[in-house]
Structure formats: C-alpha cells, structure tokens
C-alpha cells in the first residue's frame, strides 16, 4: 500500500526468514521440553505465525514471510510462545527491532537475544497533548500560576484480550507533591477522542500557609512534570491493564506559555533489574525491509521507454534491459522488476523471446539448453511465479493436502525403514501418489496461463530451429521449465508456493522429496532414466514408470502448452480457489427480526463466488456471485469500534467483515477488488461508514439507499493474478542502475575504447557499428532528475 509523503508514494514491504531458536529455558516440569511457535508483529499486531515445533528447546522453523506493510509502525517484533493445552499460551521472550534500525540487519542472518516480556513494556500508540501556563489573580489580588493540561486524543492503542476501553490519568508530580486527575472511559475504541482539560496550581501565593508540607513560598517549575498514563478499563479481577505512559517536564514552557505536540507512549520504568541476556535463548532471523519512494509517472518516461523497446533492439545484448542483467551482481535482482514491468505493459513475451533466442544461438549442446542461471532462466522463473501461481494451486493443492493429511509411510530406502514398515507397501503408497500427481499435471494443459504458453511456444520454436537433428529438444526446452523449475520445486517445498501454510513434518517432507524426484525425471524425457538417479532404490522404484504411456502423456502435455492457438478459453469451467480463511462477519439483516450480531465464519473466494460457512468443508451459509460485488472498500473504525474491517457492497446491502490483522484485511480487499474489477455495475461512490440507527454515520443521510458520499478507491488490473505498479518497478530498476553505476560506467568505457579502435586510421574496419533503434547510446543517456529509493 502506498502512503503519500510530500508528493511521493511510499511503499513499505518486509521479507523475513525465521530460522531457528536455541537454548530456550527448560519447562518447569518433569518433561522439560516445550512446544513453541513464533509470531511476527507490527508493534503489537500479530501478522504471521509459524507452525508449532513440539518437544524442543532448540526449535527449527525455517519459514519465510513476505508482506506489503499497509500502515506506519514503530517496531517489528518477534515473540516466542510456549503452547499450553489447558491455559493461555505463555510468552517466553521477544525480539523487538525499531524501524530505523532495520537497515543494520538488512539481508543477513543475525542471532538476536530474546528479551523478557512484561505487561508494562508492551506499549504502542501516541497521545495528542496541549499544555498552557497562565497567570491567575486571586480574590485578594495575589498573582499565582495555573497549568491547563488538555488531553485531546490518542491513536493506535493496543487491543487487549479483544477489546479496548481506554481512559487516561493526568498527574502533576514534583519533589513534594503528586496530584492526579482522570478522564472518562471511552468504550470500544483504540483511537479515543477525550478532549478534556485539567487545571493544576503550580505556584503558591505568598499568603499560602507555611504549616503545610510546602516549606517554601513558590515551587520550582523546572522540577515539576506532567505524567499521562493510559489504561484499559478491564472487568477482570486482575485490574485495569497498563497501556503506556509519557512524562513531560514543565521546562518545555520556558520559551512559550503554550505547548502542543503528539507523543509516542513509552513503557513504564518500574525499576526492576534486568536479567542476564542469555537467560531466554536466542532467535536467528533474516530481515529485508524495503521502502520504495515513487514519483509521478512522467519522471520515469525516458527510462521506461528505453526498457520497453528492449525486445526490438538488435542485438538484444545492447538493450537497456539486458544491460541491467549484465551489471547486477545476481541475475535475479534484475529479473524481478524487469518481468513485473514487462507484464504490466504486456511486453514480457517479446522480451523473453528475444533473450531466449539469443541464448539458444549461443548454446552448443542441446542437452544443456536453458540449464544455467541466465537472465532468460530467471525471467521465465519469475513470470511463472507471478502468472502461474493460481494455476499451480488449482493443479496441485488438493493432492498435496491429501498427502499431508494422509500421512502414509512412503520410505523406499531400505536403510531408513522404520520398525514395522514394509518396503513393498511403502513402494505402492508412493507409486499411487506419483501417479496422482503425474495425472493432474499432464491433464492440466488446458488451464495453463496464456502468457506461459506463449513463452513456451517461442522456446520450442527457437530450440527446434537451432538443433534440427534433435527431435526431442522441442520438448526438453519446455520441460526444463515447467517440470524442473515449476512443478518439481512446488512439490518439494509446498510452503514456499503457498500450497501449505507451513513446513511439512519430516515424514511428509521425505515423501514429497521422493515424489518430486520422480516427477522431475518423468518430465525430463531423458534417454536413460534409471541412470538419472544416484540412489539404487530410486532406480529400482522408477521401473514402475518405464512404460511408453508416461512419455506419451508428457509429450502430449508439452505439445498442448507450447502450441500456438491451442485452446478454447471457454473450456476452463472449474472454479479456481483464490483465498480462504476465518474472519468475523456482521449479520446482514436478511431476516426482518434477526439480531445483527458478529460471528466467526470460514470465508472462501473463487473466481465464481464469495461464500462463508460455519467451518471449513461445511455447506455455504451464504453466497455472493462475483458479478454481484459492486465495490470492496475499507470500513471506518467508528462504525463498530473495531479495527481491520471492510465491506463487500452488493446491490441490496453490504456485508461487513473484520479480518484478523491489517495485512490480512489488505490481502482480502485486494483480491476481492481484482476478481470483481470487470463487473459492469461497479460503483463509483460508496459510504465509508456503516448505516446504523436510521442514518449513515459518514454523511448522516437517513435513507439506506442514499448514494455514496466518497469516491471509490482507484481500480486495479482486471487480471486476478497480477497487481503491478509500473512506476514502482521502474523506480526499482533506476535504483539498480544507480547501485551498479561504477560497473555501468566501466562497460561504457570499454565500448568506447573498442569503437575507437575500429575508426579510420585507428585500426582495421570501416568505422563504428551503427546503433539500432531503442539501443542505449551516448546522446540518449537518461538524466533522471531526483527519483530515489531508500
């Protein structure tokens, strides 16, 4: 999500690898082991949770998490929890990294010591406060000073145990006094509007009685401070929960009698001794936090135009896009933004075809075609990852889920067999799984995305033209991507492709490894397949598949996905599951006398309909056809005093839904908007708040059918698979050129030296080679002005 900042759009994202924890404290019981999981939090809001690793004090997680961050934050935090079956899960410790410190640990494995967690240190949010010091003349004519403390509002307070009913205490404290006052409790909001003023006398008139505990006529204002404590009013017997505090010395009023500012809440200093750092163990993390600062589109026109002409340059190695691949340290760095940019502008097929043709012409052995980590390979990998993710899910996910849930023994290495396992039974279990996976893949050709098929067609044609004597190269050129780089890795590590929520258990992981090896070999169409395996037990198992029908099925599949004009788009009828999960919905009022309460439901979105049911697998309680979704927008918090709510607007009513966190809310809004983008009756205006008590809270209109009062958010691309910002990707490419400027300048210098050697009088040849259209040349160097990326 973009945040506007001085004419810029600022995009925040974070990619996290949660490695492992070590030396966690033992459980105070006879077993001593713990069942631990790790959460990722933006401030106090949980946005991701790993699997539970049972019976370990050194749990290995090995999980990756990426998200676009849709709001401002102060800390990125990681909590290690110990699961408790009978009581609330207990926190072992945490790692909290301030936003400004994230670059210190950028993209490198780091061990962090776990820190102790107590309620007084878990704070977030900020307070808007105004102080005013004024002179007051008493009835006797004596002048004294009084302090007016106005607490206006708070923002971003944490939600405690599912609710937030905040109030504030305001205290004037000094060496000889402590005077406290309290605001009203604001119910069900973490952004309370208080706007209350409290008055304190800060200097005493000369007539003040010396018999009191004040033994001087006037207090030293510099020694006084205002302390504001935020609390959550709780009905629990343990008392109200502390939410944070701030302390402001009155010396801030030296220069002016009035002072107004926003303050971040701070943890309470309770004077407790800090424990040794090594007491709680440590956690290994790799964090990549990125901010993209994107200017308006016209800033990027010169560079973008050069990039989009890359496919037309002869030779393609002189094109802007190919040069980026040459100067980057890793081809992947260049491939990601290039592919996203070309997909956005519909130029990915011509570009990949051009660089693939160039690579094929350089290849001498058909057996090594597309086997290196070239720019071509990385670009095709990235295209498959972006355009083919839903295809991958609809093809593999049901069978992968069955394998994970079935837990059948499939070990075929005699050395690794467990007691009581039978080798023949295991082989049969594995053979059935391989057959299932092989069949769903080879029958899925009709569902393969068009952009992938067009790329495969160009690969097939280039390979067949280059190696005319090798009849199989037209197949191996395609299978090296669709099997080796697409299906096989997804089977091997399903969590990396969102086929499973977490890493699979060791037994299932071993089963998937054996399946992946077999599928990879079946798809390779190699002449000597048994020799493809280093392990004798794999060669023996592969004898099950030494039948011509398997090779024929692979070739038919490859023919289908790499043939021009191969399919009828209307033939794809099965619904594609796009997203599912638990959320909380408000009753829509379809029953005249029904209660409009909130209930937890399992939501399921396909490219045909949006449904919810009581639990996963149950019959739908309600279904919204995609064509009936008129808009999907955020719902303002004031409507129900609940965070992370959005609305799915239908012709007759709106469905109000609360997601688990801000990242999930954004993901649901984005995918629902994308899948319904082409609906002809989409709204242009909507109501950002709910219709309650006979009127809209936003515009106060009394009719529930009144037109919306705010414009709907900007449209997204109709393609449900891709949501790409072309300017953001161009900014990333500019940043890469800027990062590798020294290599770019050296390349330019070498080219100038080469051309100088071929000019008349300087050596052989009749002059420099002419520059083709779209090619980078000295008088066409882009001077980008000021765009930058932090």
């Amino acid at each position: 999500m973009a945040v506007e900042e001085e004419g810029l759009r600022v995009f925040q994202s974070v990619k996290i690898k949660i490695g492992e924890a070590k030396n966690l404290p033992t459980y105070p019981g006879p077993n001593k082991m713990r069942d631990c999981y790790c959460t990722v939090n933006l401030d106090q809001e949980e946005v991701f949770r790993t699997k539970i690793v049972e019976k370990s004090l050194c749990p290995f997680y090995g999980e990756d998490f990426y998200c676009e961050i849709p709001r401002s934050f102060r800390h990125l935090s990681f909590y290690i929890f110990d699961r408790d079956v009978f009581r609330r899960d207990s926190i072992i410790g945490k790692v909290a990294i301030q936003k400004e410190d994230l670059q210190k640990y950028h993209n490198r494995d780091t061990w962090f010591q776990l820190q102790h967690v107590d309620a007084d240190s878990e704070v977030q949010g900020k307070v808007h406060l105004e102080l005013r010091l004024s002179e007051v003349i008493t009835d006797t004519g004596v002048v004294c000073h009084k302090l007016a403390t106005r607490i206006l509002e708070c923002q971003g307070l944490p939600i405690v145990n599912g609710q937030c009913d905040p109030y504030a205490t305001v205290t004037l404290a000094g060496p000889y006094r402590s005077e406290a006052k309290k605001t009203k409790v604001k119910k069900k909001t973490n952004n309370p509007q208080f706007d209350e003023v409290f008055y304190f006398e800060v200097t005493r008139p000369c007539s003040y009685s010396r018999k009191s505990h004040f033994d001087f006529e006037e207090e030293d204002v510099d020694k006084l401070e205002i302390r504001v404590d935020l609390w959550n009013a709780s009905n629990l017997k343990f008392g109200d929960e502390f939410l944070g505090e701030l302390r402001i010395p009155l010396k801030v009023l030296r220069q002016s009698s009035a002072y107004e500012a926003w303050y971040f809440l701070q943890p309470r200093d309770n004077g407790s001794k800090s424990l040794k750092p090594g007491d709680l163990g440590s956690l290994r993390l790799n964090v990549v936090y990125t901010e993209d600062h994107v200017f308006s589109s016209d800033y990027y026109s010169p560079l973008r135009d050069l990039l989009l002409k890359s496919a037309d340059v002869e030779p393609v190695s002189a094109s802007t896009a190919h040069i980026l691949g040459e100067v980057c340290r890793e081809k992947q760095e260049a491939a990601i933004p290039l592919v996203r940019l070309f997909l956005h502008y519909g130029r990915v097929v011509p570009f990949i075809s051009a660089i693939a043709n160039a690579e094929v012409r350089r290849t001498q052995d058909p057996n090594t075609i597309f086997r290196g980590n070239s720019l071509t390979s990385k670009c095709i990998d990235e295209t498959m990852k972006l355009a083919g993710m839903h295809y991958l899910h609809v093809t593999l996910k049901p069978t992968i889920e069955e394998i994970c849930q079935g837990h059948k023994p499939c070990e075929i290495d005699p050395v690794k067999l467990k007691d009581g396992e039978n080798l023949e039974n295991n082989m049969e279990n594995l053979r059935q799984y391989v057959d299932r996976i092989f069949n769903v893949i080879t029958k899925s050709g009709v569902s393969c995305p068009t952009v992938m098929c067009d790329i495969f067609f160009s690969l097939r044609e280039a390979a067949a033209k280059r190696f005319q004597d090798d009849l199989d190269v037209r197949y191996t050129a395609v299978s090296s991507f669709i099997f080796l780089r697409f299906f096989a890795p997804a089977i091997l590590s399903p969590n990396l492709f969102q086929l499973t929520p977490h890493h699979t258990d060791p037994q299932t992981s071993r089963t998937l490894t054996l399946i992946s090896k077999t599928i990879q070999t079946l798809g390779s169409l190699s002449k000597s397949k048994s020799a493809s395996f280093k392990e004798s037990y794999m060669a023996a198992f592969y004898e099950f598949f030494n039948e011509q029908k398997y090779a024929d099925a692979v070739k038919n599949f490859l023919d289908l996905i790499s043939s021009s004009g191969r399919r009828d788009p209307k033939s794809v009828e099965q619904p594609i599951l796009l997203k599912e999960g638990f959320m909380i919905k408000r009753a829509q009022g379809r029953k005249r006398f029904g209660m409009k309460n909130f209930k937890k439901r399992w939501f399921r979105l396909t490219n045909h309909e949006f449904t919810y049911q009581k639990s996963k697998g149950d019959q739908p309680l309600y279904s919204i056809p995609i064509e009936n979704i008129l808009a999907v927008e955020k719902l303002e918090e004031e409507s129900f005093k609940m965070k992370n709510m959005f609305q799915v607007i239908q012709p007759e009513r709106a469905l109000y839904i609360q997601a688990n966190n801000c990242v999930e809310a954004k993901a649901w809004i984005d995918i629902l908007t994308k899948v319904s983008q082409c609906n002809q009756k989409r709204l242009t205006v909507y109501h950002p708040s709910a219709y309650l008590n006979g009127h809209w809270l936003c515009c106060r209109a009394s009719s529930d059918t009144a037109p919306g009062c705010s414009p709907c958010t900007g449209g997204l691309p109709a393609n449900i698979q891709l949501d790409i910002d072309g300017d953001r990707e161009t900014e990333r490419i500019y940043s890469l050129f800027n990062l590798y400027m020294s290599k770019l300048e050296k390349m330019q210098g070498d080219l100038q030296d080469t051309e100088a050697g071929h000019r008349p009088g300087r050596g052989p040849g009749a002059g420099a080679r002419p520059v083709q259209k779209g090619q980078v040349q000295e008088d066409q160097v882009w001077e980008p002005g000021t765009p930058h990326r932090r």
Side-chain angles (χ1 to χ4, degrees), residues 504-676:
T504 53
D505 61 84
Q507 179 180 319
T508 304
S509 179
R510 173 63 176 165
T511 298
L512 294 174
T513 300
L514 296 172
I515 295 172
S516 179
K517 283 184 175 183
T518 311
I519 292 295
Q520 184 175 317
T521 306
L522 279 167
S524 69
L525 294 172
S526 59
K527 303 292 190 298
S528 178
K529 294 177 179 176
S530 296
S532 302
F533 298 105
K534 297 177 182 177
E535 307 92 344
S536 57
Y537 61 84
M538 283 299 300
F541 173 69
Y542 198 82
E543 292 300 320
F544 283 119
F545 306 98
N546 258 336
E547 298 181 37
Q548 188 59 35
K549 67 176 183 178
Y550 290 101
D552 292 342
V554 169
K555 288 185 177 182
N556 289 337
F557 169 67
L558 296 175
D559 280 335
L560 182 60
I561 65 172
S562 62
S563 299
S564 181
R566 74 218 168 280
R567 29 170 220 160
D568 177 6
K570 296 180 180 178
S571 62
V572 184
E573 293 296 338
Q574 71 275 22
I576 300 174
L577 177 64
L578 304 177
K579 189 171 177 61
E580 60 183 342
F582 275 114
M583 291 190 288
I584 295 172
K585 66 97 185 174
R586 182 178 185 262
Q588 301 178 72
R590 290 179 290 128
K591 297 178 181 178
R592 185 174 180 183
F593 300 107
M595 291 184 63
K596 293 185 178 180
N597 53 0
F598 289 87
K599 291 184 178 179
K600 188 175 183 179
R601 292 289 183 257
W602 180 265
F603 284 82
R604 194 169 187 271
L605 174 66
T606 72
N607 58 332
H608 291 183
E609 61 182 353
F610 182 47
T611 62
Y612 62 77
Q613 52 247 42
K614 282 190 176 181
S615 299
K616 185 176 182 179
D618 290 350
Q619 288 297 313
L621 298 172
Y622 186 69
S623 170
I624 305 175
I626 295 301
E627 57 268 24
N628 283 358
I629 297 178
L630 305 184
V632 184
E633 299 286 347
K634 287 184 178 180
L635 186 70
E636 289 186 356
E637 185 183 328
E638 66 169 353
S639 298
F640 301 106
K641 310 299 182 185
M642 296 167 68
K643 296 182 71 175
N644 305 318
M645 290 201 71
F646 63 95
Q647 51 185 317
V648 179
I649 304 172
Q650 309 161 69
E652 297 180 358
R653 62 181 63 86
L655 174 61
Y656 299 132
I657 303 172
Q658 183 187 36
N660 297 319
N661 54 63
C662 62
V663 173
E664 272 293 294
K666 179 182 183 299
W668 275 106
I669 292 171
D670 283 353
I671 192 68
L672 281 162
T673 301
K674 281 181 271 187
V675 79
S676 61

Side-chain angles (χ1 to χ4, degrees), residues 72 74 124-131 150-157 190-195 228 230 245-248 252 259-266:
S72 59
R74 294 171 63 195
Q124 73 176 58
K126 56 185 180 179
V127 182
H128 191 187
L129 197 68
E130 180 184 351
L131 302 177
R150 181 185 179 195
I151 179 167
L152 290 96
E153 60 181 316
C154 298
Q155 288 185 2
L157 299 180
N190 67 335
N191 296 313
Q193 302 281 331
F194 292 111
D195 201 9
V228 179
L230 269 294
E245 71 170 18
L246 61 94
R247 296 170 180 260
I248 307 169
V252 300
Y259 188 80
E260 180 181 352
W262 281 94
Y263 293 90
F264 283 116
L265 288 171
Q266 302 297 325

Side-chain angles (χ1 to χ4, degrees), residues 170-350:
V170 183
T171 305
L172 178 66
Y176 304 102
R177 66 186 293 191
S178 179
E179 184 179 353
K181 302 180 189 253
K182 177 184 173 184
T183 69
K184 296 176 182 177
V185 177
K186 299 294 181 180
K187 293 286 188 179
K188 296 182 180 180
T189 177
N190 67 335
N191 296 313
Q193 302 281 331
F194 292 111
D195 201 9
E196 296 188 40
V197 183
F198 303 99
Y199 294 94
F200 300 93
E201 190 176 292
V202 297
T203 59
R204 306 292 183 180
C206 296
S207 59
Y208 194 83
S209 172
R210 289 177 176 270
K211 294 181 181 180
S212 73
H213 61 278
F214 293 100
D215 57 358
F216 48 89
E217 291 182 358
E218 289 193 3
E219 295 176 280
D220 185 352
V221 174
D222 282 358
K223 294 182 179 179
L224 297 178
E225 68 175 9
I226 282 288
R227 189 177 77 240
V228 179
D229 295 270
L230 269 294
W231 300 85
N232 179 44
S234 172
N235 296 322
L236 301 176
K237 63 180 180 180
F238 304 109
D240 297 344
E241 290 100 353
F242 174 76
L243 300 180
E245 71 170 18
L246 61 94
R247 296 170 180 260
I248 307 169
L250 293 196
K251 63 178 70 174
V252 300
L253 296 172
R254 279 180 181 173
Q255 304 298 326
S256 173
S257 61
Y259 188 80
E260 180 181 352
W262 281 94
Y263 293 90
F264 283 116
L265 288 171
Q266 302 297 325
R268 182 162 54 187
D269 182 11
N270 54 19
S272 60
K273 295 181 180 179
S274 58
L275 299 174
K276 295 179 181 178
D279 285 348
L280 299 177
S282 53
L283 179 64
R284 179 167 61 86
L285 301 168
N286 186 304
V287 179
V288 177
Y289 170 72
T290 303
E291 282 186 11
D292 292 321
H293 294 244
V294 181
F295 282 78
S296 59
S297 187
D298 57 314
Y299 277 88
Y300 302 104
S301 295
L303 177 59
R304 182 173 58 243
D305 292 346
L306 280 173
L307 288 164
L308 295 178
K309 293 175 183 175
S310 294
D312 303 323
V313 175
E314 283 291 344
V316 72
S317 57
S319 69
T320 310
H322 195 277
I323 289 171
L324 179 66
E326 290 299 306
V327 298
C328 286
R329 185 177 59 184
E330 302 287 343
K331 302 295 185 188
Q332 186 79 0
E333 284 183 290
I336 292 174
L338 284 175
V339 165
R340 294 177 70 86
L341 179 72
F342 288 134
L343 276 169
H344 181 72
Y345 288 100
R347 297 288 293 163
V348 74
V349 175

Side-chain angles (χ1 to χ4, degrees), residues 75-123:
H75 292 87
L76 182 65
S77 303
F78 304 83
Y79 292 80
I80 299 291
F81 284 84
D82 184 18
R83 180 184 61 178
D84 194 313
V85 177
F86 303 106
R87 298 191 300 273
R88 199 172 174 181
D89 295 349
S90 57
I91 302 177
I92 297 175
K94 74 169 183 178
V95 172
I97 308 173
Q98 290 187 352
K99 179 181 177 180
E100 53 267 27
D101 291 336
L102 287 170
Q103 287 300 321
K104 295 180 183 178
Y105 312 105
H106 182 78
N107 201 22
R108 58 188 177 91
D109 281 2
T110 306
W111 283 98
F112 294 90
Q113 294 292 333
L114 291 174
Q115 303 297 320
H116 287 270
V117 176
D118 63 84
D120 288 350
S121 70
E122 298 299 285
V123 302

